[in-house]
Structures are given as C-alpha cells and as structure tokens.
Amino acid sequence: SSGATMSIFAVDKGPLLSGSMGAVTAWRTIPWEKAIHPCVTYGNSGGVYLVGVATTTRLRVRQITGMPTSPTLTVIGTPITPSWGLPPNAPQKGTNATLDTLDARLMNAVYRNGSIWTAHCVSVGGRAGIRWYEIEAPSATTVQAGTVSDTSLHFYMPGISVNAKDEMIVGFTGSDNNTFAGTWLTGRVPSDPIDETGVPVLYHAGEGPYTVQTSSGSNRWGDYSLTSVDPLDDETFWTIQEYAPVGNGWATHIARADFSCTASTYCTPKITSKLCAPSMTWSGSPTLALPQGFQVRCESMDPNVSAIVFFGLSGADAKPFQG
C-alpha cells in the first residue's frame, strides 16, 4: 500500500504466563513489507530473528536482542534472492472464479541450526508457485532458494518447517482448471542437491469449487496453512492445509509426514514424492527352470514414471532386468 508503514512489538512473555501484562516495546513507521515474520525459534539464536520482503530480489533480516530489559531491533542484512513477480490468482475446477493467492508476502518463518527458513507464493511461468529460502541468520546471506511448481497446477499458500535433522517439509494448496483446490506437500533432506525438493504429493484432493467473494470482489483463499515439527520426537512433521469440500466452503486437512523408510534400499536415489528413497527387494531364484522364476519388487516409487531396473553381481556388470 502506498505510504503505508508497519510496526513491530516485543512483549515480555513472563508476566503473561501469570495473567498480567509486562513491558511492551514498539518500533513504528517501518517501511511496508506486507508481512514481517518473527521466526519460530529452536535452540538459542541469541535473539529473535524476523524476516520480510525488501524488494523483488532481496529479503530483509532483522533481530531483536536484549529482551526483556532493553530490547533492541537491528537490521542484520538484505540477502539476495532470485527475482520474482506477483503470482496470478489460481483457477479451479467447476467455475470461472479464481482463488486469491494473496500476494508475494512471506507466509511464515523458522529458525533452526543457524538458518532461517521461509516461503512465499510467486509467479512461475505464468502460474502461482512456491518459492522457499534458507538464509544463514548471523550473516543474512542466502544459502539456497528453491521453487516448487508444475506445468499445469498452481501452488500457493505455503507453510514451511524444519526438524532437528535439517529435513524440510512445505505444505500448500494446489489447483487448476481440472482440479479442485486440494492439499499438497513436498520436502527435502540435507543430502539433496541444493535448491531442490521432491515431487509434490497430493494428500487430500479437493471436492468442489469455492466461490465466496468479499466486498472487494476477491475470492479470498488461504491463511490456514501451517507446518510444524512434533515436539515429542523433533523429527516428525504435521502439516495443516486448506481444501475445498462439497458445498462451496472450505475445510482443513492434517497430514503426518516423515522421511523414514523401513525397507532395505538397493541404492541411494533422490528422495521421491513418497518422501523417502525407493527400495527394491527380490524373491524366488534367478533360475529359469523354476516355475515362479525370479521376482523383483520396487516400493516407494513415483507413480506414472518410467524406470529401468538393473541387476548383476556388482554395479560394474549390472544389466537391464526384463520381467
């Protein structure tokens, strides 16, 4: 908004727990950044980090230190990011009314192991897509910046989190002209190539169109996206996303996600949309005289993706398997 400013408040938590209001510090007339998110903080960060959008090529990282006696707000830096544009509204099945993807404001932020993780919705090839970032907090420099997109689907309203192993999950909404608004997720592990996540997974399909316009004419969607780490094991993720049910309404669906695989892995491929590595097991005998022959079973593979299976005594002499 032209001429608009923002405020940041620091509130002493201790008195709140006993039912009273303690000291409140306010920083006013901060330049408009659509949203400035204090990080959900794991461990000792030395102060609360906050992150917002500075420009279409930079974020802005701030930190509040000295709580609760003498809080100080400091701009740490403006890490460079890939350029982005405002996302378009998202089409949906069953109606010409598009869903409001809001804008490119950051949706949430997490601090863990020295890094800030955050995400927002941007334009990707003329469609709404997810852009996520890992920012080294003390130096406010960009470690990686990944994009989650599709050749048809629009992805929007992301919620991101990171567990104790630096594994990341981001949940979001997805829709297009042939798809009702449903709930999706993807993720990555530290060994994945930089900037990359797995193939997006639909975990609850939309069931109908949503057409409820606000007084401004917007078909408002979202604000109900959150991904969090289970405090009991600090590894399992829970993601809460919004979908469109039957009856022109909205609902939320909760999914549990982790990167554990119980089957033995034949090799160490990239994490798939199942959020774990594919595995291969065998039964029978590689003897043609036996009736049952030799059977190979692959699990946790991506659907509708072609694959070639090799076999041999070692990787050097492996041959394509024909079943």
Side-chain angles (χ1 to χ4, degrees):
S1 299
S2 178
T5 60
M6 307 182 73
S7 298
I8 295 174
F9 297 89
V11 181
D12 186 1
K13 178 182 176 181
L16 295 178
L17 299 177
S18 60
S20 60
M21 177 63 75
V24 178
T25 304
W27 293 272
R28 305 284 191 177
T29 63
I30 293 172
W32 180 251
E33 296 179 6
K34 300 184 184 297
I36 300 174
H37 285 284
C39 291
V40 175
T41 301
Y42 296 88
N44 183 7
S45 64
V48 178
Y49 283 100
L50 305 93
V51 61
V53 171
T55 70
T56 58
T57 59
R58 288 182 180 271
L59 302 180
R60 193 185 320 274
V61 176
R62 298 176 172 89
Q63 188 182 32
I64 297 176
T65 56
M67 285 291 292
T69 55
S70 55
T72 300
L73 178 67
T74 304
V75 175
I76 303 299
T78 53
I80 298 174
T81 66
S83 179
W84 52 264
L86 292 173
N89 288 341
Q92 56 178 325
K93 183 179 178 180
T95 179
N96 291 325
T98 57
L99 295 171
D100 186 359
T101 59
L102 289 183
D103 47 39
R105 71 187 65 192
L106 300 178
M107 298 301 288
N108 77 308
V110 174
Y111 170 89
R112 185 143 221 173
N113 298 332
S115 289
I116 296 168
W117 298 77
T118 188
H120 61 160
C121 184
V122 299
S123 178
V124 183
R127 293 174 299 279
I130 305 302
R131 176 71 56 75
W132 58 269
Y133 307 99
E134 180 188 2
I135 307 296
E136 186 193 49
S139 63
T141 55
T142 302
V143 178
Q144 53 182 332
T147 302
V148 183
S149 63
D150 187 79
T151 56
S152 175
L153 288 159
H154 291 239
F155 293 146
Y156 44 104
M157 301 298 165
I160 192 171
S161 194
V162 182
N163 68 11
K165 295 181 176 180
D166 282 336
E167 298 166 339
M168 180 270 276
I169 289 286
V170 58
F172 46 91
T173 302
S175 69
D176 63 17
N177 287 319
N178 300 308
T179 309
F180 299 125
T183 60
W184 295 71
L185 61 82
T186 187
R188 61 171 281 111
V189 296
S191 59
D192 281 339
I194 193 168
D195 301 337
E196 289 194 16
T197 53
V199 177
V201 180
L202 172 67
Y203 73 85
H204 190 85
E207 301 165 357
Y210 180 81
T211 56
V212 179
Q213 290 189 335
T214 65
S215 57
S216 63
S218 170
N219 194 27
R220 183 65 180 265
W221 184 260
D223 295 349
Y224 304 99
S225 173
L226 175 69
T227 304
S228 186
V229 178
D230 194 314
L232 295 181
D233 62 15
D234 208 14
E235 294 182 13
T236 303
F237 294 90
W238 297 92
T239 186
I240 305 170
Q241 304 300 324
E242 187 176 359
Y243 73 95
V246 174
N248 197 32
W250 61 266
T252 54
H253 199 84
I254 302 173
R256 176 187 180 276
D258 60 47
F259 292 90
S260 63
C261 295
T262 56
S264 299
T265 57
Y266 178 74
C267 55
T268 55
K270 178 177 172 57
I271 298 301
T272 71
S273 65
K274 300 297 184 183
L275 299 180
C276 62
S279 63
M280 186 165 67
T281 57
W282 60 272
S283 62
S285 172
T287 303
L288 296 178
L290 293 176
Q292 73 272 24
F294 181 59
Q295 299 179 352
V296 176
R297 179 180 177 86
C298 295
E299 298 179 322
S300 299
M301 302 287 287
D302 280 327
N304 303 317
V305 176
S306 299
I308 299 175
V309 177
F310 289 81
F311 75 100
L313 296 176
S314 68
D317 67 352
K319 307 296 182 184
F321 178 82
Q322 296 180 347

